[in-house]
Amino acid sequence: MTQPDTLASARLYLCTDARKRQGDFEDFVDAAFEGGVDIIQLRDKTLEAAEELEMLAVLRSVAQRHGRLWAVNDRADVASISGAPVFHIGQKDLPLTAARTLLPNVTGIGLSTHTPEQIDAAVATSEGPLGLDYFCVGPVWATPTKPGRAAVGLGLVTYAAEAQKRAGDGVRLPWFAIGGIDHSNVEQVVAAGASRIVVVRAITEATDPTAAAKSLLQALDTVQR
């Protein structure tokens, strides 16, 4: 397992659809990266594989221009073909061990977690060639991007922070709080123990994605001082 250097230092992770309605995918991801987003994941269940690969080629080009990371969700075949540096899976998606057999060792793999037990399992996999590179904790608040999934609350964010401390001198995975996080509540999330966040609507629905990203990073900086 080789973790990209930029993944270890990433703080702001954005998930976006293909923006078919707006028709501005390339301009949007360029603006988001310009504002300081570290990773952009294309997550759009309406895309067929061929169309997703086309969109990922655009994302890859923009990300490389900014020296940032980009990610594929769920599909290891698409991640492999597109050369994605980051791949994300959920608890019911392709198992981590299977994903590792399909992807290059340099691919950073992340996992969604929703319970203390899942966090403990993620932390326990942090060492060795089959381990994770990061995990996400959430959804902190209910969000329309994950319909039907109950919010886990700030308590699980604190649990994740404490779990990493209990790991002692072992490998400490980067982890991100996710779910309903925006400018109105980011300070609460950081106060609960998170230093990295994943957002969707806070940037995708912003009239100025660059300014929205900068504002979120400023909030992280202010709380962490």
Side-chain angles (χ1 to χ4, degrees):
M1 177 180 62
T2 301
Q3 179 173 305
D5 292 340
T6 46
L7 180 55
S9 60
R11 295 188 300 157
L12 184 55
Y13 190 143
L14 170 65
C15 293
T16 181
D17 63 10
R19 296 182 71 84
K20 292 181 179 179
R21 179 175 59 84
Q22 298 92 337
D24 64 350
F25 182 75
E26 183 171 2
D27 289 341
F28 170 76
V29 295
D30 182 69
F33 280 131
E34 184 66 28
V37 170
D38 298 295
I39 309 170
I40 295 182
Q41 177 191 125
L42 175 60
R43 186 173 69 192
D44 193 325
K45 301 294 186 180
T46 69
L47 296 177
E48 298 291 342
E51 188 177 14
E52 184 173 1
L53 287 168
E54 290 178 2
M55 303 301 293
L56 288 171
V58 174
L59 178 56
R60 176 178 185 167
S61 175
V62 178
Q64 290 180 337
R65 188 163 68 243
H66 285 272
R68 303 294 171 83
L69 292 173
W70 53 282
V72 168
N73 185 53
D74 292 347
R75 295 194 57 172
D77 57 341
V78 171
S80 178
I81 294 169
S82 65
V86 179
F87 178 59
H88 190 85
I89 51 178
Q91 289 290 326
K92 296 182 179 180
D93 295 328
L94 188 71
L96 174 61
T97 52
R100 281 289 176 206
T101 66
L102 296 172
L103 296 171
N105 289 337
V106 294
T107 305
I109 297 183
L111 175 70
S112 297
T113 65
H114 318 294
T115 67
E117 294 77 16
Q118 291 171 0
I119 290 172
D120 290 342
V123 172
T125 65
S126 62
E127 295 185 26
L130 298 180
L132 287 169
D133 292 286
Y134 73 93
F135 63 95
C136 293
V137 177
V140 181
W141 287 283
T143 170
T145 62
K146 290 291 184 180
R149 187 177 295 282
V152 300
L154 292 168
L156 197 64
V157 174
T158 300
Y159 183 92
E162 293 175 346
Q164 286 288 61
K165 291 178 182 177
R166 290 195 297 272
D169 295 330
V171 176
R172 294 192 177 186
L173 293 181
W175 62 275
F176 299 78
I178 184 173
I181 300 171
D182 58 26
H183 298 83
S184 71
N185 56 32
V186 61
E187 293 185 1
Q188 297 178 53
V189 178
V190 177
S195 60
R196 301 173 177 86
I197 58 173
V198 181
V199 299
V200 183
R201 291 172 296 152
I203 295 179
T204 62
E205 295 184 0
T207 56
D208 187 338
T210 299
K214 288 181 177 179
S215 179
L216 288 166
L217 287 170
Q218 288 171 355
L220 289 176
D221 290 338
T222 299
V223 175
Q224 292 173 14
R225 284 178 189 148

